Amino acid sequence: MALNATWEELFGGSAPPGQPATMTLAGVPAPDSGGGGGDANLKADVGPWHEAGNTAGELRTSTGTSLTDLDTANEGVGGGTAGFASSGALTEILGTWKTRLTAVRDECGRLEGALKSAGRDFGERETATQRKIAAQAPAPARKEG
């Protein structure tokens, strides 16, 4: 089965009758597809990555604060509930919540650095690519006269 036939079988109706099936990247139509509504030029910007990293850092901080608040709120609960059947359940719940919140805090810390690093890397590559393109561009023609 030809690739276009397979594509049509999988994603039928995505192309006008008689036209080969096409694919888009991030919703941007292929240049020859006759579609519109997108910029086909890919640009990397550090801003969104840095902002996402900051958001992960803020979540890490607030989760750390929540862990402290959880410990503070549960001080003395064991002594105050001794003899009650709910005492064991409260201790178990505290442990599971601390485990979950610690995992979230740690993952947000990891993501903060990874997202900011990705943004820096993309930004540096974008700048390097622009320099390479500029260096290879032909010099503008001079007017004689």
Side-chain angles (χ1 to χ4, degrees):
M1 181 179 286
L3 180 60
N4 277 339
T6 303
W7 188 263
E8 185 62 33
E9 184 179 306
L10 292 171
F11 302 101
S14 64
Q19 296 292 318
T22 60
M23 182 172 64
T24 62
L25 177 62
V28 178
D32 62 346
S33 70
D39 183 0
N41 295 320
L42 177 62
K43 289 177 68 178
D45 186 6
V46 69
W49 294 95
H50 190 75
E51 188 176 328
N54 284 342
T55 300
E58 291 167 6
L59 184 55
R60 179 187 49 78
T61 300
S62 67
T63 305
T65 301
S66 296
L67 276 164
T68 301
D69 291 347
L70 188 62
D71 281 336
T72 302
N74 280 284
E75 286 176 2
V77 169
T81 59
F84 289 103
S86 62
S87 181
L90 286 173
T91 302
E92 181 182 338
I93 291 169
L94 174 62
T96 61
W97 274 109
K98 286 179 72 168
T99 299
R100 290 179 184 130
L101 288 173
T102 300
V104 168
R105 182 201 60 202
D106 295 348
E107 181 64 7
C108 287
R110 186 193 68 77
L111 284 173
E112 178 182 17
L115 289 166
K116 288 181 178 180
S117 177
R120 276 190 306 276
D121 291 349
F122 283 135
E124 289 169 4
R125 286 187 186 119
E126 181 78 9
T127 302
T129 301
Q130 288 172 347
R131 276 194 226 119
K132 286 179 185 177
I133 290 170
Q136 294 176 1
R142 290 187 176 174
K143 286 186 180 180
E144 302 216 8

